[in-house]
Amino acid sequence: MKKYVLIFSFIIAALLISCNKFTTQNAITSDGLSNPKPPKAIGPPRILFIGNSQIEYFVSAPTLFQELCNFNNKHINVQQLVTMGVSLDKVYYTNKTEANQIFSNRDKDGNYYDFVVLQEATPIALTDLEKYRSNLKLIVEKIHKNSPDVAIYVYQNMSPLPYTNPEYDDYYKELQKNAVLAAAYIKNAGLLRVGDAVKDAYEGKSGYKYLSNNKDNLRYGKNILHFTNDGGFLQAVLLYSAIFDKTPIIPKKLILSTGTGDKDNMRKQEVDKVISNPKALEEIAFNNR
């Protein structure tokens, strides 16, 4: 699998060394933010993913979500603007020609996009609330030109630290709080509670065990932890559950990663053989919808 040099990796490394870049406050839960309401669509709805490697690296959230929708007879068009290791504004400027084209497309029902997932870079989501809000505003204003009633899901980033790090919870709470405060300023926006779901999985909710032979089943990496198959599966089921308010029927096979090496890739594999505990992850996802 081709790997990318993530230009924010040095920032993450600095964050791992010191926690004094922010002041942790009491966590603000997402209870005050209801799930956004999609507009009425004529024909299959569209969803757009915008973000970086938390959305697609070893596994692909757009691909897995599309597969779950297809298998469950949910006809939806999936698109993405993803650039490794950059913030939302840089995702836009890196893909400006393509972005301006899709943001100018029109649909007869008045909303070209029905759902959008916006995933900010972790360093900004963690330490710069003003930039977090301005980047969301930049993207949303452009999307609203052709999709004024789109349902926005602001991606709640997960703690960048290993779960065994004693400061894992501090980072988790700060990211949770900032996601709520950023989403609150966006029309028809809610949270995609990835950080909450990942924390529940690490805590063993629904009987899930994240360790196998001293190996983290959810994430892999050093300075930056990316989803492996369990984490990618959890993320895709979470989004499906949030949008449709039900757990998807899981197909026998999904497009998952063969590993974390440079020669590994994504291909169809049997879920029960590759995902350590699909049922537990489904339940965790649904409970965080």
Side-chain angles (χ1 to χ4, degrees):
M1 177 185 294
K2 184 178 180 180
K3 301 300 187 297
Y4 299 84
V5 176
L6 305 182
I7 65 172
F8 272 10
S9 62
F10 74 95
I11 301 176
I12 287 289
L15 290 173
L16 300 185
I17 295 171
S18 174
C19 208
N20 62 9
K21 290 182 179 289
F22 59 81
T23 301
T24 300
Q25 305 173 20
N26 292 334
I28 297 175
T29 68
S30 59
D31 294 344
L33 291 173
S34 58
N35 277 355
K37 295 181 179 180
K40 292 183 179 180
I42 299 174
R46 296 183 183 87
I47 183 171
L48 174 64
F49 292 79
I50 305 180
N52 59 43
S53 56
Q54 301 303 319
I55 288 177
E56 180 168 307
Y57 195 69
F58 297 122
V59 287
S60 169
T63 297
L64 288 173
F65 179 72
Q66 180 79 79
E67 286 193 289
L68 292 177
C69 289
N70 291 346
F71 191 76
N72 286 268
N73 295 315
K74 302 288 188 183
H75 302 294
I76 186 166
N77 294 317
V78 178
Q79 298 177 20
Q80 65 184 76
L81 285 175
V82 175
T83 300
M84 303 298 120
V86 301
S87 54
L88 279 171
D89 56 334
K90 291 184 179 179
V91 173
Y92 168 69
Y93 290 117
T94 301
N95 303 279
K96 191 172 183 178
T97 300
E98 180 184 358
N100 287 340
Q101 175 60 52
I102 64 176
F103 292 157
S104 66
N105 289 336
R106 301 288 176 179
D107 201 350
K108 57 185 176 181
D109 61 21
N111 289 280
Y112 189 76
Y113 289 109
D114 303 274
F115 305 93
V116 172
V117 176
L118 298 177
Q119 183 253 315
E120 183 56 278
T122 300
I124 288 176
L126 181 65
T127 66
D128 194 341
L129 180 58
E130 183 178 351
K131 180 69 171 176
Y132 195 178
R133 287 173 173 165
S134 66
N135 282 353
L136 289 175
K137 182 180 178 182
L138 168 72
I139 302 297
V140 170
E141 284 182 346
K142 295 183 180 301
I143 293 171
H144 277 168
K145 290 180 181 179
N146 67 351
S147 307
D149 302 313
V150 63
I152 303 286
Y153 281 91
V154 175
Y155 187 106
Q156 179 202 356
N157 295 53
M158 57 193 150
S159 175
L161 299 172
Y163 183 62
T164 53
N165 189 298
E167 293 179 324
Y168 177 96
D169 276 356
D170 291 338
Y171 282 76
Y172 156 73
K173 290 174 183 177
E174 192 72 7
L175 286 163
Q176 182 193 57
K177 173 178 69 71
N178 287 349
V180 173
L181 293 175
Y185 282 77
I186 304 299
K187 172 188 171 184
N188 196 25
L191 295 188
L192 182 62
R193 297 173 55 197
V194 176
D196 291 344
V198 169
K199 186 171 186 292
D200 282 353
Y202 276 130
E203 291 181 347
K205 299 289 177 65
S206 301
Y208 180 76
K209 296 180 180 179
Y210 80 93
L211 278 180
S212 294
N213 299 320
N214 255 348
K215 181 181 179 182
D216 187 335
N217 286 322
L218 289 168
R219 304 184 297 170
Y220 174 83
K222 294 182 179 179
N223 291 335
I224 298 177
L225 300 173
H226 289 106
F227 279 136
T228 50
N229 287 326
D230 275 22
F233 177 83
L234 173 65
Q235 178 169 240
V237 176
L238 172 63
L239 178 59
Y240 185 99
S241 299
I243 288 177
F244 300 112
D245 197 28
K246 61 169 61 175
T247 301
I249 300 170
I250 306 300
K252 185 177 180 181
K253 292 184 177 182
L254 287 170
I255 296 177
L256 297 163
S257 176
T258 59
T260 57
D262 290 340
K263 294 183 179 179
D264 286 300
N265 53 38
M266 288 180 277
R267 62 176 175 81
K268 284 274 189 181
Q269 297 179 76
E270 291 188 30
V271 172
D272 286 340
K273 291 183 178 179
V274 177
I275 306 298
S276 67
N277 191 339
K279 292 297 182 184
L281 292 171
E282 289 172 51
E283 187 171 319
I284 291 169
F286 185 75
N287 289 338
N288 283 284
R289 69 194 187 284

